[in-house]
Amino acid sequence: MSTGAIAGIGTDLLRVDRIERIYARHGDRFVRRILGADEQLVHARRRARDPRRGILYLATRFAAKEAFSKAIGLGIHMPMTWSRAQVLNRPGGAPEIRLSGPLADWYATRFGRAHVSMTDETDIVSAFVVIEALPAAPHSKEHTA
């Protein structure tokens, strides 16, 4: 159920060459730090088909997680970690944020649905996240007009 109230908004704009440089220096260690287990599988498949698609996948997920961390007001500070927030595609292709561990517990007590949009070009990626507020608790027998 959508509440309509917005609790947070985050955005990130990232140059792809930044991710390329980090990946060239740290390789799979960087991938394991940034991506959760399910994202790592997708990244490996995309990279095997086309190394450029692997870099763009890594860059869009990095940007989405940055945008998400801004929207929830934590930045990359506990309980927010890179791998606890995965950005995966639903069967129809739309991206969604899936949380795990302490981040999922922390988030569930504070926020409603998270909406994410990502885009990539040759040299730049962008992500935008909107966080819904939790639905208001039903009021006891009070009535407002």
Side-chain angles (χ1 to χ4, degrees), residues 58-120:
L58 189 54
T60 54
R61 272 48 191 183
F62 188 98
K65 293 173 189 205
E66 281 281 337
F68 176 77
S69 73
K70 293 171 186 176
I72 62 173
L74 284 180
I76 306 297
H77 295 92
M78 289 300 205
M80 174 66 192
T81 65
W82 295 103
S83 61
R84 288 180 185 157
Q86 294 193 88
V87 183
L88 299 161
N89 294 82
R90 292 186 208 121
E96 69 179 356
I97 298 173
R98 295 185 198 161
L99 306 178
S100 62
L103 179 59
D105 298 337
W106 178 88
Y107 183 92
T109 63
R110 290 165 175 81
F111 303 109
R113 280 195 64 203
H115 306 272
V116 60
S117 179
M118 301 175 294
T119 189
D120 62 81

Side-chain angles (χ1 to χ4, degrees), residues 23-70:
Y23 182 75
R25 195 168 39 240
H26 300 287
D28 284 338
R29 197 172 87 206
F30 178 63
V31 171
R32 287 188 304 271
R33 180 171 177 244
I34 300 304
L35 301 180
D38 294 334
E39 291 171 315
Q40 289 176 36
L41 295 172
V42 176
H43 173 261
R45 284 194 307 267
R46 290 190 183 190
R47 185 179 68 195
R49 280 195 308 258
D50 178 359
R52 183 72 184 163
R53 286 190 65 195
I55 289 293
L56 288 174
Y57 183 85
L58 189 54
T60 54
R61 272 48 191 183
F62 188 98
K65 293 173 189 205
E66 281 281 337
F68 176 77
S69 73
K70 293 171 186 176

